Amino acid sequence: MSASKTVRKVEVLSPVPADIDIANSVEPFHISEIAKDLNLSPKHYDLYGKYKAKVLLSVLDELEGSGDGYYVVVGGITPTPLGEGKSTTTVGLCQALGAFLDKKVVTCLRQPSQGPTFGIKGGAAGGGYSQVIPMDEFNLHLTGDIHAITAANNLLAAAIDTRIFHESTQSDKALLNRLCPPNKEGKRSFSDIMFRRLKKLGISKTKLEELTPQEVKKFARLDIDPASITWRRVMDVNDRFLRKITVGQGPEEKGMVRETGFDISVASEIMAVLALTTSLADMRERLGKMVIGNSKAGDPVTADDLDVGGALTVLMKDAINPTLMQTLEGTPVLVHAGPFANIAHGNSSIVADKIALKLAGPGGFVVTEAGFGSDIGTEKFMNIKCRYSSLTPQCAVIVATIRALKMHGGGPEVVAGKPLDGAYTTENVSLVEAGCVNLARHITNTKAYGVNVVVAVNMFATDSEAELNAVRKAALAAGAYDAVVCTHHAHGGKGAVDLGIAVQKACENLTQPLKFLYRLDISIKEKIEAIARSYGATGVEYSEQAEKQIEMYSRQGFSGLPICMAKTQYSFSHNAAEKGAPTGFSLPIRDVRASIGAGFIYPLVGTMSTMPGLPTRPCFYDIDLDTATGKVIGLS
């Protein structure tokens, strides 16, 4: 493959400037130039300004018979609260492959939530000289996908409460008449979407007047149990005061008060649907199948039962198209979806990966990132995302840092916003070696899927050669295909060339098929226990509520779905304070919930907050606009 003509040589400075200053120092190529290098014609994309474009799904139809590139997933060891640089490594690796190793490459990343951007974490465009640009557009509204998800989610929430309200005040016949109002000729008929519910109920009649009183009741009355409603409203801001609210307090709502709450938009099941869908038709079906709660008889109630699945799809029709952007060094990036990495699977979209693999073509590379440590992100990538996509990765990268390994070896607590303890900035080989048990388990778990594993050690200025050598030795002893020290944060793609070479060799030398951790035809509990064993647990404890939910989902016919474990990212166990590679513990399952439209069951291990809060000093303190230049400043 010849190197892209849009490759940009970036002059690196030392010390490394702030991320936003680096991003603002570069004028991005017009996105049509990036598209042209991928052999995309203007009919394949819609422009969103000069530096972003939506790639249309019709590209997949045109390239259906062509070959795929190599498929690489980037995960990590169990991280510190500071993060170990997975996004930066993903971008740096792609810059190395595209700008220095002459390969056709596409990066696939999640769209960041505005919650962390303005909260405690900052943005997610990568960092240093391995970034996606324009950084401000990437981290803020982008092309409006999260806004579309927010609108669709809240339309469904409004439909739920509205339906309960109207059913409470009307007879069956009056309800049917209002659901099916007369047309201009005075005739009543079912709308197209209603035939979905009729079919579900086993009613084959096509005319209202043919329905018996019992069928009228079955069709018109959903009889939703308010206590069973799992669907909550969302917004893309960290706001702890919306975690629990009451609705229906207005005088016109006739005392129909109930407790509910808000989640952050990226925790919406609609976001998970977007990430796991494979086509527009598939997204329509998944949105319609989303379960919002149960009827008082215990039957699941779906978005299509509420006749809103079509409207949700209309709101999401543009969001299904991935957004094309670029790295600092001019290599292409597809940004799409951003599902919460705890209660959802935390991976970018299947459609973006599929398009990228066709565009990269045989001999090219697609590098996609999985959220959090490999025990969460990579496990869900393999067992959930790859099941639905039928795509097979050749290589998995595990990102490690000396800092995180020292923490797992027994080092002092690492706290975001506080200076690092001296143990992390002075040489201590034995502390690093002790912490490599965490890396070793991630390697063993990831290798079990049949992929070659390459360890990327993100180097910091305070890391010593002896410490880095200790990590490489431990990684190879644990079965890694290779382990490479990287400096892409400071040097861009040039600092990840060795990683790029190792990944290429790992992909070219894969000999095994993809293996899953569990079969789908075993019980919900057996699947949960298979995942728990990979964490190091010897058993699983189910609360009474969890037992009740497992029994209900099994009875409702959902036991064949994969499992999406919701647990802390800071430990293999349920206890964030348990570092290293704990064993012999019993994993407590507090509750079990389901995202039926997205297509997974998610057990809750401990307490998972789906609406983060703001710290005392959020990131927004530093964010402003230079009114003279119009450029955003202070983004991190």
Side-chain angles (χ1 to χ4, degrees):
M1 297 279 179
S2 61
S4 164
K5 69 181 181 189
T6 54
V7 165
R8 180 191 295 105
K9 299 300 180 186
V10 178
E11 183 183 349
V12 302
L13 302 177
S14 182
V16 179
D19 291 350
I20 188 67
D21 293 335
I22 294 173
N24 284 341
S25 72
V26 171
E27 178 67 26
F29 295 114
H30 195 283
I31 200 63
S32 61
E33 295 184 54
I34 304 296
K36 188 177 179 182
D37 285 337
L38 288 171
N39 296 320
L40 288 169
S41 73
K43 71 176 182 178
H44 292 138
Y45 59 86
D46 291 332
L47 290 171
Y48 278 65
K50 293 185 288 185
Y51 308 128
K52 306 186 298 291
K54 281 280 198 177
V55 180
L56 306 179
L57 297 195
S58 56
V59 172
L60 276 176
D61 297 327
E62 287 194 28
L63 297 176
E64 188 178 2
S66 61
D68 288 351
Y70 292 118
Y71 194 28
V72 180
V73 60
V74 178
I77 63 170
T78 306
T80 69
L82 305 177
E84 311 319 307
K86 275 200 320 301
S87 301
T88 308
T89 301
T90 303
V91 175
L93 169 58
C94 290
Q95 290 182 161
L97 287 165
F100 290 88
L101 294 172
D102 212 16
K103 301 296 178 185
K104 203 162 187 182
V105 63
V106 183
T107 313
C108 289
L109 290 175
R110 289 175 293 166
Q111 179 183 349
S113 164
Q114 289 178 179
T117 297
F118 291 110
I120 195 168
K121 184 176 179 286
Y129 288 99
S130 294
Q131 291 189 54
V132 179
I133 56 172
M135 178 191 175
D136 56 339
E137 294 183 29
F138 179 88
N139 283 312
L140 298 174
H141 306 284
L142 200 61
T143 46
D145 293 357
I146 295 180
H147 300 319
I149 288 162
T150 303
N153 184 100
N154 293 343
L155 175 63
L156 179 51
I160 295 164
D161 286 311
T162 296
R163 186 60 174 261
I164 295 171
F165 172 76
H166 288 300
E167 284 190 18
S168 71
T169 58
Q170 299 177 56
S171 67
D172 296 343
K173 187 176 180 182
L175 194 59
L176 179 70
N177 288 341
R178 285 187 172 89
L179 290 172
C180 303
N183 60 19
K184 290 178 182 177
E185 289 78 39
K187 293 182 178 179
R188 298 181 186 274
S189 61
F190 297 114
S191 61
D192 289 344
I193 197 171
M194 289 177 174
F195 287 105
R196 289 175 178 257
R197 176 158 174 79
L198 288 166
K199 183 179 179 182
K200 177 181 172 180
L201 295 172
I203 299 172
S204 58
K205 296 168 183 175
T206 57
K207 296 179 180 178
L208 267 75
E209 57 270 21
E210 294 176 347
L211 296 185
T212 66
Q214 291 79 13
E215 288 171 335
V216 168
K217 184 182 182 72
K218 274 175 69 178
F219 168 75
R221 198 168 292 283
L222 299 182
D223 203 25
I224 297 167
D225 178 4
S228 76
I229 296 172
T230 53
W231 199 265
R232 290 153 61 94
R233 288 159 174 83
V234 299
M235 63 188 302
D236 198 35
V237 173
N238 289 359
D239 192 345
R240 66 177 72 242
F241 285 90
L242 292 178
R243 288 171 179 167
K244 183 177 278 192
I245 63 167
T246 55
V247 293
Q249 296 199 65
E252 294 182 2
E253 280 63 63
K254 300 179 174 64
M256 295 188 64
V257 177
R258 71 177 182 91
E259 275 194 357
T260 181
F262 273 77
D263 295 331
I264 196 161
S265 295
V266 291
S268 170
E269 184 178 350
I270 296 177
M271 175 63 90
V273 166
L274 178 65
L276 288 170
T277 195
T278 53
S279 68
L280 193 59
D282 178 66
M283 184 173 74
R284 169 64 186 88
E285 293 307 308
R286 286 175 181 270
L287 291 172
K289 288 195 297 187
M290 294 187 305
V291 172
I292 59 89
N294 298 322
S295 69
K296 288 172 183 169
D299 298 318
V301 178
T302 67
D304 269 347
D305 288 328
L306 286 154
D307 300 321
V308 73
L312 301 182
T313 309
V314 168
L315 285 171
M316 294 292 293
K317 70 179 179 64
D318 296 320
I320 196 174
N321 300 312
T323 301
L324 181 65
M325 295 186 76
Q326 63 192 281
T327 67
L328 276 169
E329 294 178 5
T331 58
V333 181
L334 284 178
V335 187
H336 203 213
F340 214 66
N342 287 113
I343 65 159
H345 64 297
N347 282 256
S348 63
S349 78
I350 286 174
V351 292
D353 289 3
K354 285 195 165 189
I355 289 171
L357 285 163
K358 295 297 182 190
L359 295 177
F365 291 83
V366 171
V367 183
T368 188
E369 180 199 358
F372 293 151
S374 297
D375 56 320
I376 297 180
T378 305
E379 183 269 307
K380 295 173 182 178
F381 171 86
M382 301 291 185
N383 291 308
I384 300 174
K385 186 176 178 182
C386 288
R387 281 189 202 270
Y388 285 123
S389 70
S390 299
L391 298 173
T392 300
Q394 288 78 37
C395 176
V397 175
I398 297 178
V399 178
T401 61
I402 298 296
R403 174 180 68 198
L405 292 168
K406 284 181 173 179
M407 178 190 74
H408 288 295
E413 188 179 3
V414 176
V415 181
K418 289 188 178 179
L420 276 176
D421 187 275
Y424 294 103
T425 53
T426 55
E427 182 176 285
N428 190 329
V429 176
S430 61
L431 199 59
V432 174
E433 288 174 337
C436 281
V437 294
N438 183 271
L439 172 61
R441 183 176 290 170
H442 283 293
I443 292 169
T444 302
N445 284 356
T446 306
K447 272 193 72 180
Y449 296 108
V451 295
N452 283 332
V453 174
V454 174
V455 174
V457 187
N458 279 348
M459 183 179 172
F460 289 69
T462 53
D463 299 342
S464 75
E465 191 171 344
E467 290 173 329
L468 295 167
N469 286 338
V471 179
R472 189 167 191 276
K473 183 180 176 184
L476 295 174
Y481 184 86
D482 205 348
V484 183
V485 176
C486 310
T487 61
H488 45 272
H489 183 273
H491 302 122
K494 186 178 180 181
V497 167
D498 288 345
L499 177 62
I501 293 169
V503 165
Q504 180 182 345
K505 288 179 179 175
C507 287
E508 291 171 347
N509 290 295
L510 183 72
T511 57
Q512 302 178 68
L514 178 64
K515 297 176 231 171
F516 296 119
L517 186 59
Y518 53 80
R519 303 192 323 270
L520 290 182
D521 61 359
I522 61 177
S523 71
I524 291 174
K525 281 190 173 182
E526 287 172 309
K527 285 181 265 197
I528 291 172
E529 285 151 20
I531 298 171
R533 283 193 297 273
S534 76
Y535 298 156
T538 51
V540 177
E541 296 171 7
Y542 300 93
S543 71
E544 187 179 336
Q545 172 67 10
E547 294 275 11
K548 177 181 159 191
Q549 292 296 105
I550 289 170
E551 189 277 326
M552 182 184 74
Y553 292 137
S554 300
R555 176 172 49 80
Q556 291 176 340
F558 301 137
S559 62
L561 294 174
I563 299 296
C564 187
M565 204 75 92
K567 79 166 183 73
T568 178
Q569 67 269 35
Y570 294 123
S571 174
F572 271 112
S573 77
H574 55 285
N575 180 1
E578 286 276 338
K579 305 305 180 185
T583 56
F585 59 92
S586 186
L587 195 73
I589 305 297
R590 177 174 62 86
D591 198 358
V592 178
R593 296 178 190 166
S595 291
I596 302 304
F600 53 75
I601 303 285
Y602 62 100
L604 298 175
V605 184
T607 303
M608 283 294 123
S609 175
T610 50
M611 172 54 86
L614 290 171
T616 305
R617 192 187 189 282
C619 291
F620 65 65
Y621 276 56
D622 301 311
I623 298 171
D624 211 329
L625 194 72
D626 183 330
T627 53
T629 65
K631 288 190 173 181
V632 174
I633 54 176
L635 268 179
S636 60

